[in-house]
Amino acid sequence: MPLTPPPPHTLVLGAGGFLGRWLLLELLRHGEPVAAAVRTGESDAALRTWLREHDADPTPLTTVTADLTRPGLGLSPEDDARLAEVRDVHNLAARYRFGLTRAQAEPANVDGALHALHWSATRPRLRRLVHLSGYRVGRDPHPRYPLDPGTTAALYSRLGAYEASKQLGDAAVRVTAPRLGVPLTTVNPSSVIGHSATGEAGQYLGLAQLVRQLHRGRLPLLPGTRRTFLPVVTVDHLARFLAAVPAHDHAPTAAHTVLDPATPVLPELIALLATHLGVRPPRGLVPVPLVRRLPRALTGADPETLTFLSEDRYDTSSADALSAAAGLTHPPLAPALRHWADHLVLDAFGDH
């Protein structure tokens, strides 16, 4: 007879995603009774197998089926009751893809963020909601939500549906959480690369697309300048950071930008990867505004990727303080980048 898991103290939304799995792994390794919210059709057995393969005991894991686009997370009454003792909620769920329409992105990334917030407010033992945004999101100290229709439409037109919806979702929870009395932390990670020791996981968009073009000899010129900064963080460090947030954040609201400060500027990062992969590095740089004007068939650049190519630098002081308090340090970055590049090549850059 299967053992009944203990009542979960933590709920991970988006548990079936690449980052959700690593957070589950981190929590389970520390003996945390945790619930994994998966979408209809996602395999509970496959998730448990993955956790066992990564040396975690999934016995304390409770699995529930959720739909972030619906009020109450679309939970059945039985599953909602099983989550009565949840005190920490991690919302890692999002629709992450370039080329989305507004109608595709908004239900998960904006409405879903608010549904997670409102559901969290119903938990009598709630300690904290942790909402995952992005390092170019949430920099406005005084966000506004909702915006008037014209401003919203202009935001979608300028940034693309994914980035615009993530900005609106971030603003929505930051504006609404204090009204509901929900303790909130927004975590804004940079581009997530694979596990520092194996290269496993990591995002297939953004920087990975540049690495794919580099590997396949389709990056003769690198978009940006000598100061363009596309920061990264390993998936294992980010998972450890997320797991530590609820025990270390005590203010009603907090926000952390998480990136590895050892990330070199983009031309140096690409040169490092080119040397490792044994391919020719780009011959020079081309300004991003010029890339925007050239046909995509010529440049191979996704217009939404270009919004991330900036000379901006980011304030990581609050994340650094939390990491120090939790005893966390970034793993060595250069070997982590090489492991990730190898994994991307072996996995055909996720094309399958």
Side-chain angles (χ1 to χ4, degrees), residues 262-284:
T263 307
V265 291
L266 184 61
E268 293 176 11
L269 190 157
I270 293 296
L272 182 156
L273 293 174
T275 298
H276 175 67
L277 294 171
V279 298
R280 177 179 294 180
R283 294 191 296 272

Side-chain angles (χ1 to χ4, degrees), residues 164-195:
S165 65
K166 288 297 289 182
Q167 288 219 16
L168 289 171
D170 178 271
V173 296
R174 291 170 63 201
V175 167
T176 310
R179 298 174 185 169
L180 298 179
V182 171
L184 172 71
T185 294
T186 52
V187 175
N188 308 302
S190 60
S191 294
V192 183
I193 65 171
H195 190 281

